[in-house]
């Protein structure tokens, strides 16, 4: 009887650990991403999950229209394809930019 209770308690502890370590943080990230996508407005700069960078021209119910590049190409994308607001910079580009700014300060 004692062994059965202890095994049930261990299973409940494992479920709680999985919930707080895996499920809850993922739900928070999904909620933040959905809030960001719902708050998109005309003029915001965005980056898609495919790496396309553009400025929002129109916002529709489930999609947005963005304008990319100097040639002003317009693309209609679904809102779920938006990765982030603003332009993402790769880690190696960040390092080179910080190195350039440090070199400029030395001069």
């Amino acid at each position: 009887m004692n062994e059965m209770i202890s095994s049930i308690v261990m299973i409940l502890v494992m479920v709680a650990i999985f919930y707080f370590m895996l499920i809850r943080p993922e739900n928070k990230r999904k909620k933040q991403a959905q809030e960001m996508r719902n708050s998109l407005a005309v003029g915001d700069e965005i980056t898609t999950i495919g790496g396309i960078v553009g400025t929002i021209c129109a916002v529709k119910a489930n999609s947005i229209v963005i304008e990319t590049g100097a040639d002003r190409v317009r693309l209609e994308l679904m809102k779920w394809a938006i990765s982030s607001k603003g332009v993402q910079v790769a880690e190696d580009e960040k390092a080179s930019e910080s190195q350039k700014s440090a070199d400029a300060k030395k001069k």
Side-chain angles (χ1 to χ4, degrees):
M1 185 70 175
N2 234 0
E3 293 174 4
M4 191 167 108
I5 292 174
S6 66
S7 62
I8 290 174
V9 168
M10 289 297 288
I11 291 173
L12 290 176
V13 167
M14 289 177 59
V15 168
I17 289 172
F18 276 117
Y19 176 76
F20 285 108
M21 298 295 284
L22 300 174
I23 298 169
R24 189 166 179 239
E26 182 64 26
N27 287 342
K28 278 182 146 182
R29 279 191 291 275
K30 284 181 184 179
K31 186 176 179 180
Q32 287 174 339
Q34 189 62 37
E35 288 174 359
M36 181 269 302
R37 290 176 182 132
N38 289 337
S39 70
L40 293 173
V42 174
D44 288 345
E45 241 185 60
I46 55 111
T47 303
T48 67
I49 57 176
I52 299 171
V53 176
T55 304
I56 297 176
C57 297
V59 178
K60 300 177 183 177
N62 291 325
S63 65
I64 61 165
V65 177
I66 66 168
E67 196 170 83
T68 62
D71 53 355
R72 301 177 62 128
V73 174
R74 290 188 177 204
L75 300 169
E76 185 171 359
L77 303 168
M78 300 304 291
K79 283 187 177 180
W80 59 261
I82 306 304
S83 170
S84 65
K85 268 188 184 178
V87 179
Q88 292 181 343
V89 179
E91 292 297 322
D92 56 341
E93 290 178 18
K94 285 182 186 178
S96 66
E97 286 178 9
S98 63
Q99 182 65 31
K100 286 178 186 177
S101 64
D103 291 342
K105 288 180 183 178
K106 288 180 183 178
K107 292 180 181 180

